[in-house]
């Protein structure tokens, strides 16, 4: 990012994603079998590269443009992430039913490609100086490792719902297929509406970030335990309760996800990292990598557990990721606060202030 520039990386990532999305629409022309499967993996891999480039650059540009309000801006933009989650399935479904397989992908790809020249004209160009900031030095900081676990667990919990929740809804509540997407609205809307408020709170009261992270992780774990609900509770699942838990999951995910980026940046500054686009690129890349790792692990493990144990147990076990990250982060922050208070008391013994007052009085 520091060598080719954040703007170029963002625009190039969008261009690749747009072209690859159009290629998705052409895959039904490929003969079935190993060739089709191989091309699916290839196209998905190309899409991942474009997505990673665009997301990493976008986080860096936002943090560079709004250095004092990072969480607020990220939280505000999550409104549009939620809007995409809300509008994507029904619009895609409508285009698919009306015009066939190719049209949804070609339409979306063309929209992304049209936005490429728009961003080329609108986005400012940020000059960056390559620094000696080390990716490994950043990721091996204990606090950053715990925050990486938080990102990974949140993404895994969210990804778990993709292959499992719709099957559970169809089987448990006997809803028509068209209504399944409406159930997802509870999570998407609560996440998108609460994110700007949580971002503003995180920027205005930075000391609350740690407790938002811990509370969000523990609340997410509890919600996933109640999503089935877990068989040990002996509670019959009902549609209204299921939607309510999804709403709470959206809110709890926002509590943990929004403060993570500024918290990693703050930790990097505390440990002597140089400010600038180079560090922002490192943090953005780390965030995207951990999110993508969770997005891979969540559906994979979740799909396996759902097949072997059922949705109720699978969701409860999946919540263990969030529980682990919440407890580990809470223990770390408590230990850090205890260590700092003890070190400050050692550096400033109680008698020092009194002695200094007496000395100043005798001098006068």
């Amino acid at each position: 990012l520091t060598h080719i520039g954040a703007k170029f990386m963002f625009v190039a990532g969008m261009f690749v994603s747009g072209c690859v999305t159009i290629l998705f629409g052409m895959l039904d022309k490929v003969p079935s079998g190993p060739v089709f499967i191989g091309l699916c993996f290839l196209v998905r891999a190309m899409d991942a590269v474009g997505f990673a480039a665009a997301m990493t650059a976008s986080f860096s540009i936002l943090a560079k443009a709004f250095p004092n309000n990072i969480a607020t801006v990220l939280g505000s933009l999550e409104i549009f992430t939620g809007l995409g989650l809300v509008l994507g399935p029904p619009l895609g479904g409508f285009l698919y039913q009306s015009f066939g397989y190719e049209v949804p992908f070609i339409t979306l790809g063309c929209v992304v490609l049209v936005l490429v020249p728009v961003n080329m004209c609108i986005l400012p160009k940020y000059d960056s100086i390559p620094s000696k900031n080390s990716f490994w030095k950043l990721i091996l900081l204990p606090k950053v490792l715990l925050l990486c676990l938080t990102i990974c667990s949140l993404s895994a919990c969210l990804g778990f719902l993709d292959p499992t929740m719709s099957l559970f809804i169809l089987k448990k509540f006997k809803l028509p297929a068209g209504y399944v997407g409406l159930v997802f609205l509870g999570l998407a809307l609560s996440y998108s509406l609460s994110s700007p408020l949580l971002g503003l709170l995180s920027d205005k009261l930075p000391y609350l970030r740690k407790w938002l992270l811990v509370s969000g992780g523990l609340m997410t774990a509890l919600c996933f335990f109640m999503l089935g609900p877990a068989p040990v509770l002996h509670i019959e699942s009902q549609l209204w309760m299921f939607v309510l838990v999804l709403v709470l999951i959206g809110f709890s995910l926002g509590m943990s996800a929004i403060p993570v980026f500024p918290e990693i940046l703050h930790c990097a500054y505390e440990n002597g990292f140089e400010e600038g686009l180079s560090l922002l690129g490192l943090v953005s890349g780390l965030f995207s990598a951990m999110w993508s790792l969770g997005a891979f692990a969540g559906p994979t493990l979740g799909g396996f557990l759902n097949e072997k144990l059922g949705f109720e147990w699978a969701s409860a076990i999946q919540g263990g990721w969030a529980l682990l990250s919440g407890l580990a982060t809470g223990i770390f922050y408590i230990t850090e606060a205890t260590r700092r208070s003890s070190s400050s008391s050692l550096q400033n013994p109680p008698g020092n202030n009194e002695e200094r007052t007496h000395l100043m009085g005798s001098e006068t």
Side-chain angles (χ1 to χ4, degrees):
L1 185 143
T2 54
H3 288 87
I4 66 175
K7 179 178 179 178
F8 180 80
M9 180 178 281
F10 179 73
V11 172
M14 287 190 65
F15 179 77
V16 171
S17 291
C19 293
V20 170
T21 304
I22 294 175
L23 283 177
F24 270 119
M26 309 296 182
L27 285 178
D28 64 329
K29 310 295 184 186
V30 178
S32 59
V35 176
F36 173 77
I37 295 173
L39 283 175
C40 284
F41 273 101
L42 178 62
V43 172
R44 288 287 285 173
M46 292 168 60
D47 191 31
V49 173
F51 175 80
M55 289 299 295
T56 302
S58 67
F59 283 149
S60 302
I61 291 170
L62 287 172
K64 184 71 174 177
F66 305 96
N68 299 320
N69 304 98
I70 297 174
T72 303
V73 175
L74 290 178
S76 301
L77 286 181
E78 289 306 300
I79 296 175
F80 299 94
T81 301
L83 191 63
L85 292 171
V86 169
L87 296 179
L91 288 178
F94 169 76
L95 292 173
Y96 176 77
Q97 288 184 348
S98 303
F99 305 104
Y101 171 81
E102 299 93 344
V103 173
F105 294 103
I106 294 173
T107 303
L108 182 59
C110 289
V111 170
V112 175
L113 289 178
V114 166
L115 292 174
V116 169
V118 174
N119 281 281
M120 289 175 66
C121 297
I122 292 177
L123 286 180
K125 183 178 180 181
Y126 293 104
D127 295 325
S128 60
I129 302 172
S131 69
K132 297 180 180 179
N133 293 332
S134 167
F135 180 82
W136 296 111
K137 181 183 175 183
L138 175 66
I139 198 174
L140 290 178
L141 293 173
K143 186 176 179 180
V144 172
L145 274 176
L146 284 175
L147 293 173
C148 287
L149 176 62
T150 299
I151 299 168
C152 202
S153 66
L154 295 176
S155 178
C157 288
L158 200 58
F160 162 79
L161 299 175
D162 286 339
T164 60
M165 194 171 81
S166 57
L167 298 175
F168 176 74
I169 294 170
L170 290 170
K171 180 181 177 182
K172 188 73 176 180
F173 305 116
K174 312 297 182 186
L175 289 180
Y179 287 89
V180 174
L182 296 177
V183 178
F184 279 85
L185 290 182
L187 189 151
L189 286 176
S190 65
Y191 177 73
S192 59
L193 293 176
S194 63
S195 291
L197 299 176
L198 292 168
L200 184 64
L201 186 66
S202 180
D203 279 331
K204 296 296 183 182
L205 304 171
Y207 62 89
L208 284 182
R209 287 177 192 156
K210 60 184 75 173
W211 305 119
L212 286 175
L213 286 166
V214 175
S215 303
L218 298 179
M219 185 175 172
T220 301
L222 178 62
C223 288
F224 269 85
F225 197 73
M226 293 294 297
L227 191 62
V232 294
L233 298 177
H234 303 291
I235 300 174
E236 182 65 26
S237 180
Q238 300 181 40
L239 183 58
W240 68 267
M241 186 172 69
F242 191 86
V243 174
L244 176 62
V245 172
L246 283 180
V247 171
L248 294 175
I249 287 175
F251 179 72
S252 63
L253 288 175
M255 288 177 68
S256 295
I258 299 303
V260 165
F261 195 95
E263 194 70 5
I264 294 177
L265 268 180
H266 180 68
C267 179
Y269 294 148
E270 284 184 331
N271 286 272
F273 281 75
E274 300 175 13
E275 290 190 42
L277 200 60
S278 175
L279 175 60
L280 296 176
L282 285 181
V283 176
S284 301
L286 178 63
F287 186 95
S288 299
M290 293 299 107
W291 188 270
S292 298
L293 181 62
F296 165 75
T300 305
L301 178 62
F304 174 79
L305 292 174
N306 185 61
E307 184 179 352
K308 299 296 182 183
L309 304 175
F311 181 83
E312 293 86 349
W313 276 118
S315 62
I317 294 172
Q318 191 73 32
W321 291 56
L323 179 63
L324 176 64
S325 67
L327 289 176
T329 307
I331 292 170
F332 176 84
Y333 279 125
I334 292 172
T335 306
E336 183 183 53
T338 305
R339 187 169 60 247
R340 284 182 177 177
S341 62
S342 61
S343 63
S344 62
S345 62
L346 287 173
Q347 291 174 0
N348 300 303
N352 279 4
N353 292 332
E354 297 178 7
E355 291 173 6
R356 191 178 297 111
T357 303
H358 290 307
L359 285 171
M360 290 176 65
S362 61
E363 287 174 1
T364 54

